[in-house]
Amino acid sequence: MPTLTAQEALEKLKVGNARFASNVLSAESLLSNLRRAEFAQGQQPWAVILGCSDSRVPAETVFDVGLGELFVIRVAGNIVAPSQVGSVEFSVERHGARLVVVMGHTLCGAIDATLEAMTEPPSKQSPGLRSIVERVRPSVVPLLHTELAHQPAALRREATRANVRASVSALRHGSQLLEKLVYEDGLLVVGAEYDLVSGRVEFFEGVPE
């Protein structure tokens, strides 16, 4: 499959997610495993998904695509650290993908862990978990100085989206390569949220009008 433009790739993801949410899956994605020997010779993913490691949010399933279509990076809290930046750079430079999606999800455990860390002693968290929490924390702290501080459910929702926005910004401005491709070669970096109940993905950050 030839590499798609960012807008074409975004539309393909939206259509695939609509199928998934409606429980109508494509035969093409289901049968892609029959072509695994073909994919062994190379790949050309048309989109990069940086998503959470949560077992309920597998990107290929959520977007109803098969083998060889998405370059997926999964890490708790869909945070951006140097290794995630490098992984995105690898895909867009090596394979030509022109759409990068940072996808958070509702009821995210990493967001809960971050909110809890603001009230519990740091010693209760392992160093590894603290490293994730510390990357989420800057996007959450400003929300605690608003009325959301007294609305736990709303705070959790807004914290999830704020974290996605922070990761989108980190990719756009934390890599000279990605920043150059955004301004000169049509790379699009957007933010989205997956709803665990409805199965629908809402693209809400950086999406062209």
Side-chain angles (χ1 to χ4, degrees):
M1 177 184 296
T3 300
L4 305 177
T5 67
Q7 196 62 50
E8 290 169 341
L10 182 59
E11 185 61 27
K12 190 174 177 69
L13 290 180
K14 289 180 178 179
V15 171
N17 177 246
R19 288 196 302 268
F20 170 75
S22 301
N23 299 314
V24 181
L25 304 182
S26 69
E28 183 179 354
S29 63
L30 293 172
L31 296 175
S32 68
N33 64 313
L34 299 178
R35 302 171 56 208
R36 59 182 177 272
E38 173 187 334
F39 294 124
Q41 307 306 313
Q43 61 171 319
Q44 196 172 25
W46 42 265
V48 180
I49 311 294
L50 172 56
C52 184
S53 298
D54 193 294
S55 61
R56 299 164 292 180
V57 197
E60 292 89 348
T61 302
V62 166
F63 292 114
D64 188 28
V65 300
L67 295 176
E69 297 194 67
L70 300 180
F71 191 92
V72 181
I73 305 152
R74 299 183 69 178
V75 58
N78 41 270
I79 60 171
V80 173
S83 59
Q84 281 83 56
V85 174
S87 295
V88 174
E89 290 176 336
F90 175 82
S91 182
V92 300
E93 186 172 45
R94 180 70 61 91
H95 303 303
R98 285 298 173 266
L99 175 66
V100 178
V101 180
V102 177
M103 185 169 70
H105 65 92
T106 57
L107 307 178
C108 180
I111 296 298
D112 289 343
T114 301
L115 293 172
E116 290 165 6
M118 296 179 178
T119 58
E120 294 182 5
S123 60
K124 290 189 177 182
Q125 292 184 331
S126 69
L129 179 54
R130 279 203 303 274
S131 71
I132 294 174
V133 166
E134 289 307 311
R135 288 190 180 276
V136 177
R137 184 192 294 267
S139 63
V140 176
V141 168
L143 301 177
L144 298 178
H145 301 291
T146 70
E147 288 300 313
L148 291 171
H150 309 293
Q151 305 170 44
L155 174 62
R156 180 199 245 178
R157 289 194 299 271
E158 290 305 314
T160 298
R161 294 203 169 203
N163 182 51
V164 168
R165 291 188 179 98
S167 291
V168 168
S169 179
L171 288 177
R172 286 178 181 161
H173 305 297
S175 161
Q176 290 184 350
L177 171 62
L178 298 181
E179 191 166 19
K180 179 180 175 66
L181 291 175
V182 166
Y183 286 105
E184 298 181 4
D185 200 30
L187 180 68
L188 184 63
V189 184
V190 303
E193 182 183 45
Y194 172 72
D195 189 300
L196 291 175
V197 176
S198 70
R200 297 193 177 278
V201 175
E202 180 182 352
F203 295 88
F204 64 88
E205 176 69 14
V207 182
E209 296 182 359

